[in-house]
Amino acid sequence: MDLEAYARQMLDENRYVVLGTADADGEPWVSPVFYALDGYATLYWLSDPGTRHSRNLLARPRLSLVVYDSNAPIGGARAVYMSGRAEIVAEGLDAYNRGCLAKGAQAFTAEKIAEGGPFRLYRASVDEHWVLDPTLPRDGRTAVTP
């Protein structure tokens, strides 16, 4: 099985990624967000800068991410796990909007993410990927480069 193609398919087909963040004291928090890809090592999302996960990323920009098929049957789970670093960015809205349109979502204007607007554009630069490996006899992850 081509695990890199498997990871690409999971990232292309799904709409939500779960962000794993932690505050300055290390208290963990997870949040699902709609995401758009720019290649397989860059994910974008929009968030209110006042949300808990957004505040956490200001304190600790390292994060974990997971995309998974929540409709998979028991014993047939499919997932891509990632780690990386997140930041608020001004550039990248075009890539985010291309991903939105490809996944059936609406595009956003620059005014929505500008200072004083309701959202900020976040970018995760992924440095590692793993898949929940369907070729293993039991639950296990294998590193991949999609």
Side-chain angles (χ1 to χ4, degrees):
M1 173 177 229
D2 182 347
L3 295 177
E4 282 77 16
Y6 173 82
R8 289 189 301 271
Q9 180 182 10
M10 284 292 301
L11 292 169
D12 288 338
E13 289 180 352
N14 286 283
R15 292 186 174 103
Y16 294 92
V17 61
V18 178
L19 308 175
T21 65
D23 67 16
D25 295 324
E27 187 67 28
W29 188 253
V30 293
S31 298
V33 297
F34 176 86
Y35 71 95
L37 295 168
D38 187 12
Y40 295 102
T42 305
L43 285 80
Y44 289 100
W45 68 92
L46 296 178
S47 284
D48 178 327
T51 60
R52 188 170 177 175
H53 64 271
S54 295
R55 292 189 323 266
N56 286 354
L57 289 171
L58 284 177
R60 290 182 182 220
R62 294 286 306 164
L63 78 164
S64 59
L65 310 96
V66 65
V67 171
Y68 65 97
D69 179 359
S70 66
N71 291 309
I74 303 297
R78 300 173 49 204
V80 177
Y81 301 86
M82 296 163 277
S83 65
R85 184 175 189 84
E87 61 186 331
I88 296 174
V89 293
E91 72 286 344
L93 186 59
D94 288 342
Y96 177 78
N97 281 334
R98 279 192 305 276
C100 284
L101 295 173
K103 292 182 179 189
Q106 70 180 20
F108 278 78
T109 62
E111 292 78 32
K112 293 270 187 182
I113 64 167
E115 277 298 317
F119 301 105
R120 295 295 174 273
L121 181 63
Y122 291 80
R123 177 178 58 211
S125 299
V126 177
D127 48 41
E128 294 184 277
H129 295 78
W130 302 267
V131 293
L132 184 57
D133 191 338
T135 68
L136 297 177
R138 62 174 199 248
D139 183 21
R141 281 102 179 125
T142 299
V144 296
T145 304

